[in-house]
Amino acid sequence: MKQTEEHLPLKEVRAPVKEVRAPLKEDQASLEEDRVPLQENQANLEEDQAPLKELDEWDDFVATRYRQGKSEEEFRNYKADANPTVTEFYRQNHKYQTLDFVLKKKAEYCGLNRGQKSIWEMAEYLNTLVDDSDPDTDVTQIEHLLQTAEAIRKDGHPRWFILAGFLHDLGKVLCLYGEPQWAVVGDTFPAGCAYSEQVVFPEFFAANPDSGKPEYQTQYGMYEPNCGLDNVHLSFGHDEYIYRVTEKYLPEEAQYMLRYHSFYAAHRHGAYRHLMNEHDEAMFEWVRKFNPYDLYSKGRERPNTKEILPYYQELVSEFFPDKIDW
Ligand SMILES: [Fe+2]
Ligand SMILES: [Fe+2]
């Protein structure tokens, strides 16, 4: 993964944002510094080097896994769609996402103490995440966000729903903070209780140290029956981070969309209902409503960023102050 200055479609059209950016110079300098540990981290991984060429490889796998028109039986044959790098990615994800790890990362990031930035600054920052992908065929991170949001807009959904589409993957900046791929993307699952067979590659959980802790391997583990997902620690990643950053500005339906969009075992396969309460059940309707836009908007034509950006600038300003805590 390398970073580049080239993928900044917002540059020309973001004059109003630019003016307020001057005080951020220092912040950005500190972000530059933050990139250094990324390489160190990865070097330390040795045999567990980042397996995906690009983060989107995981998204592409999920989209293929749930390709429209597939039967339940075909969904269960997901291994046919998983190439060796995706398989290796899941091996690492399931091995390292322990309850301790999740709690550590929540403590590190969910206090939102990495400084204030606007949504647009973070979107541009995320767009510097460019992998060894083909710029002619692969959409940028911002293009994926806009494609998702535009598909929602075309279907006439409320403004907060469109906004959720635009925001949903901004948490992938975790990757730029130096987090390994397995701590940023991947299907999420509860830590601290038995793993469901409905999570992809469940066999890889055998290597997770929590598998050796009997108190975490009962159906409920550390949780109470139907305690509600807010009391459950899902594996850490971009969902939880963007939920935390945006929660106080968005309606609850949108919060659920952001927080659980990668929790496929639950929203696609009905797993972990014993941990959900009635409110979760009701709200998951919205998570399910959101999912197809995330999965299937990629094949559409590239969004005309310049043309639609003013709409999104207004939409973001309607819900967010200029700067928020990250
Ligand atoms: Fe996502
Ligand atoms: Fe996405």
Side-chain angles (χ1 to χ4, degrees):
M1 188 188 316
K2 58 181 182 287
Q3 296 190 327
T4 174
E5 292 298 307
E6 283 160 27
H7 283 270
L8 293 173
L10 295 179
K11 227 167 188 170
E12 297 156 39
V13 269
R14 72 188 151 78
V17 181
K18 223 171 191 175
E19 283 159 35
V20 289
R21 291 185 69 189
L24 283 164
K25 277 233 163 95
E26 281 170 39
D27 276 1
Q28 288 193 325
S30 70
L31 281 176
E32 301 272 330
E33 282 160 30
D34 289 339
R35 288 172 192 166
V36 178
L38 169 64
Q39 275 154 7
E40 282 170 18
N41 262 0
Q42 292 192 327
N44 289 341
L45 277 171
E46 290 169 10
E47 81 268 31
D48 289 326
Q49 294 277 344
L52 306 176
K53 267 198 302 195
E54 44 178 312
L55 274 192
D56 289 2
E57 237 185 291
W58 171 72
D59 302 83
D60 293 344
F61 165 69
V62 179
T64 310
R65 204 168 95 205
Y66 295 113
R67 197 168 39 230
Q68 280 158 314
K70 268 190 175 183
S71 64
E72 271 299 318
E73 187 56 38
E74 285 173 302
F75 290 151
R76 275 192 284 277
N77 279 331
Y78 60 84
K79 284 181 192 175
D81 299 320
N83 64 29
T85 53
V86 165
T87 306
E88 170 61 12
F89 162 79
Y90 277 109
R91 190 191 64 77
Q92 294 178 9
N93 174 275
H94 290 8
K95 178 178 173 185
Y96 295 121
Q97 288 268 5
T98 61
L99 177 67
D100 278 353
F101 177 80
V102 172
L103 296 178
K104 209 180 98 199
K105 288 298 155 188
K106 281 184 159 182
E108 187 178 345
Y109 292 113
C110 296
L112 308 182
N113 46 24
R114 295 185 64 96
Q116 291 214 313
K117 300 238 176 316
S118 72
I119 295 287
W120 294 104
E121 283 158 351
M122 267 323 205
E124 275 188 42
Y125 183 43
L126 179 65
N127 231 26
T128 66
L129 183 66
V130 175
D131 317 86
D132 300 326
S133 51
D134 180 352
D136 290 335
T137 54
D138 291 337
V139 297
T140 64
Q141 299 293 329
I142 288 180
E143 283 173 326
H144 169 60
L145 295 177
L146 288 173
Q147 276 181 328
T148 307
E150 281 290 280
I152 296 167
R153 177 151 78 125
K154 286 203 179 84
D155 283 354
H157 290 299
R159 285 169 75 79
W160 56 261
F161 194 158
I162 303 167
L163 182 60
F166 178 66
L167 301 170
H168 80 282
D169 277 343
L170 271 188
K172 289 181 180 175
V173 292
L174 285 167
C175 210
L176 296 166
Y177 295 169
E179 292 301 330
Q181 293 169 342
W182 55 262
V184 181
V185 295
D187 296 54
T188 55
F189 56 86
C193 63
Y195 304 112
S196 166
E197 287 290 313
Q198 300 294 336
V199 182
V200 283
F201 293 103
E203 64 272 28
F204 289 148
F205 286 123
N208 187 306
D210 288 351
S211 288
K213 297 177 180 166
E215 69 272 27
Y216 294 159
Q217 292 311 317
T218 61
Q219 184 187 21
Y220 293 102
M222 62 185 283
Y223 307 110
E224 298 292 324
N226 303 104
C227 59
L229 290 180
D230 195 37
N231 295 305
V232 173
H233 298 290
L234 292 195
S235 52
F236 188 74
H238 70 290
D239 305 53
E240 180 71 15
Y241 183 51
I242 194 58
Y243 156 70
R244 296 283 184 156
V245 168
T246 57
E247 64 174 316
K248 65 179 177 190
Y249 306 105
L250 297 177
E252 199 182 10
E253 293 86 346
Q255 295 173 25
Y256 266 79
M257 290 171 178
L258 299 188
R259 194 176 198 183
Y260 301 113
H261 74 270
S262 304
F263 193 10
Y264 283 88
H267 69 70
R268 277 308 278 241
H269 303 287
Y272 295 107
R273 290 187 66 186
H274 56 284
L275 297 178
M276 293 167 69
N277 59 26
E278 281 178 20
H279 190 62
D280 293 327
E281 299 270 7
M283 285 291 147
F284 261 54
E285 275 307 306
W286 293 99
V287 180
R288 279 187 280 271
K289 227 172 250 184
F290 173 78
N291 185 239
Y293 296 107
D294 186 16
L295 286 181
Y296 309 126
S297 57
K298 245 188 171 178
R300 298 174 179 229
E301 79 237 55
R302 281 184 114 120
N304 184 338
T305 306
K306 200 167 179 172
E307 196 180 288
I308 61 180
L309 209 64
Y311 173 86
Y312 286 94
Q313 284 172 327
E314 206 185 305
L315 181 63
V316 167
S317 321
E318 183 184 328
F319 287 84
F320 290 95
D322 182 36
K323 288 183 193 304
I324 57 171
D325 293 320
W326 289 85

